[in-house]
Amino acid sequence: GLALGLWRRQAALAAAREDEEEKELRQRFMAPPVSGLRELRRRRRELRSRMELLIMETQAEVCRALADLDPGASFAVDSWERKEGGGGISCVLQDGEVFEKAGVNVSVVSGLLSEEAARQMRSRGKSLKAKDGKLPFCAMGVSSVIHPKNPHVPTMHFNYRYFEIEEADGTKQWWFGGGTDLTPTYLNEEDAIHFHKTLKEACDKHDLKLYPKYKKWCDDYFYIKHRGERRGIGGIFFDDMDSPSKEEVFQFVKSCAKAVVPCYIPIVKKHCHDSFTPEEKQWQQLRRGRYVEFNLVYDRGTKFGLLTPGSRIESILMSLPLTARWEYMHNPPESSKEAEILEVLRNPKDWVH
């Protein structure tokens, strides 16, 4: 009887502790996780669960930091389900005082890879051996695009994701990808240096070779070929990262995710009350047009989303600005502030040395 009583008391304590933990996690996140807190706790040692917790935490951290700067506005939190497996949480703020549109999305999806998506991956050198033409996959990530109202505050984008595919013989291929990059309307060297230095510090904790490699990859990736210019002043970008080990890559991705708020929020604080002219606002609209061109023509994530059956189009196109402009044959005057940013977009600079 004594042993049973002790066991019951321990079980009750454990249950109370779990409830407490669950409450704390709920307060920490913007919405309950896609996989459910119980499931995540049950499999908490598995990397998939740890990655889902990381993307949920990153979403909440970024949303809270943005909401602090724009107290009049609030995030619409939208949890959605995908009938093919999984779902996501979209947090979108629109028409604020500081942010015209800011979205931070989490998605955790699983199912069978579409033929088109598999073809896209094979074209990047992935040898995927399907079983009866089927490839089970699981993908999760956090992605965000922030379009401020003021032309002196840059647009920022980040995305960190994990992918797992099970091949015909049961072996699993896995990799991480992601990055953080800045798209200013006007060039401010001090901001560019701060942004790049913060990302470099996150990379340097793991390997000094990572920042230069991923900075170059970012400049090459966000390239609008038909314009001959980059989308912005870069940052870091990597994909298909599957070495040295799962744990080491996860820790690196975690450092990058934790660098998002410190690399960007100080820049917003510094400029969100700067005065601007209607001409400066118009130039911002034209630059946003370029942003749209890149995302719809070249961006791999957008393409993958549009090719995945049952994906949520509203969440994929969240990256597009509320307003943008396309003028016929627009060319800024030589040696103007507008021409200055174009020069950097055509010829990327080293910001940290």
Side-chain angles (χ1 to χ4, degrees), residues 300-323:
R300 201 183 284 166
T302 306
K303 279 182 172 175
F304 176 79
L306 297 174
L307 297 171
T308 302
S311 58
R312 193 167 186 271
I313 301 304
E314 284 297 320
S315 297
I316 294 160
L317 298 182
M318 173 209 79
S319 63
L320 303 182
L322 208 52
T323 59

Side-chain angles (χ1 to χ4, degrees), residues 38-76:
R38 292 247 150 92
E39 183 60 14
L40 285 178
R41 187 177 293 111
R42 198 173 62 78
R43 303 200 336 231
R44 62 172 165 260
R45 287 193 175 80
E46 285 181 32
L47 192 117
R48 267 167 70 164
S49 297
R50 291 164 67 207
M51 182 65 180
E52 189 170 344
L53 285 169
L54 173 65
I55 61 181
M56 292 294 298
E57 274 169 19
T58 304
Q59 180 183 50
E61 250 168 53
V62 174
C63 287
R64 287 186 184 128
L66 297 174
D68 283 351
L69 295 178
D70 208 337
S74 63
F75 276 94

Side-chain angles (χ1 to χ4, degrees), residues 60-345:
E61 250 168 53
V62 174
C63 287
R64 287 186 184 128
L66 297 174
D68 283 351
L69 295 178
D70 208 337
S74 63
F75 276 94
V77 179
D78 198 2
S79 293
W80 50 273
E81 276 181 30
R82 177 175 171 267
K83 68 176 193 297
E84 292 83 354
I89 301 145
S90 298
C91 297
V92 181
L93 180 156
Q94 262 179 181
D95 271 329
E97 287 294 306
V98 175
F99 303 108
E100 195 171 294
K101 187 175 175 195
V104 193
N105 278 353
V106 153
S107 67
V108 180
V109 300
S110 55
L112 297 171
L113 211 54
S114 72
E115 262 311 300
E116 194 50 47
R119 197 174 307 132
Q120 206 187 317
M121 286 177 182
R122 287 191 179 105
S123 73
R124 303 206 318 261
K126 296 244 166 260
S127 63
L128 303 172
K129 296 181 279 293
K131 187 179 188 175
D132 310 322
K134 292 185 172 63
L135 279 166
F137 82 97
C138 137
M140 61 180 72
V142 56
S143 64
S144 172
V145 178
I146 298 154
H147 293 290
K149 276 200 161 150
N150 193 314
H152 298 293
V153 182
T155 282
M156 196 267 285
H157 156 258
F158 76 88
N159 170 302
Y160 290 100
R161 57 194 181 274
Y162 172 69
F163 219 95
E164 208 173 81
I165 288 182
E166 195 174 320
E167 295 192 273
D169 60 2
T171 56
K172 282 184 179 164
Q173 278 208 45
W174 59 269
W175 63 90
F176 289 86
T180 303
D181 58 279
L182 198 68
T183 305
T185 301
Y186 288 97
L187 184 64
N188 179 306
E189 298 228 344
E190 211 176 80
D191 298 345
I193 292 164
H194 164 79
F195 185 80
H196 276 268
K197 272 198 162 151
T198 310
L199 293 177
K200 181 180 184 294
E201 280 163 23
C203 292
D204 285 356
K205 279 184 209 158
H206 300 270
D207 185 338
L208 297 178
K209 291 198 276 294
L210 296 179
Y211 170 77
K213 181 182 174 184
Y214 295 156
K215 191 260 184 207
K216 183 184 186 311
W217 197 339
C218 190
D219 289 334
D220 293 345
Y221 177 75
F222 292 105
Y223 182 59
I224 310 170
K225 290 189 194 73
H226 60 270
R227 298 281 187 185
E229 62 191 46
R230 273 92 199 144
R231 188 177 76 178
I233 59 158
I236 56 170
F237 177 85
F238 58 92
D239 209 351
D240 302 326
M241 193 174 181
D242 57 6
S243 66
S245 72
K246 216 182 227 187
E247 184 58 35
E248 284 168 282
V249 184
F250 173 69
Q251 291 302 336
F252 166 68
V253 167
K254 193 173 177 176
S255 295
C256 295
K258 294 286 175 212
V260 170
V261 167
C263 75
Y264 182 59
I265 296 298
I267 297 174
V268 183
K269 277 186 178 158
K270 186 172 146 191
H271 298 290
C272 63
H273 301 298
D274 289 4
S275 60
F276 59 88
T277 64
E279 291 74 27
E280 287 170 332
K281 186 68 189 170
Q282 189 162 325
W283 175 243
Q284 180 195 47
Q285 298 288 293
L286 289 165
R287 294 315 308 160
R288 284 197 186 150
R290 297 284 207 266
Y291 204 94
V292 173
E293 286 175 33
F294 177 85
N295 279 28
L296 293 182
V297 178
Y298 301 113
D299 187 65
R300 201 183 284 166
T302 306
K303 279 182 172 175
F304 176 79
L306 297 174
L307 297 171
T308 302
S311 58
R312 193 167 186 271
I313 301 304
E314 284 297 320
S315 297
I316 294 160
L317 298 182
M318 173 209 79
S319 63
L320 303 182
L322 208 52
T323 59
R325 188 180 174 100
W326 286 267
E327 270 182 36
Y328 183 68
M329 300 292 279
H330 182 276
N331 269 315
E334 269 180 55
S335 70
S336 62
K337 290 293 247 176
E338 290 78 11
E340 178 189 33
I341 184 86
L342 280 180
E343 173 55 33
V344 171
L345 300 177

Side-chain angles (χ1 to χ4, degrees), residues 3-16:
L4 186 62
L6 190 62
W7 177 82
R8 279 198 179 126
R9 217 169 30 249
Q10 283 173 332
L13 276 171

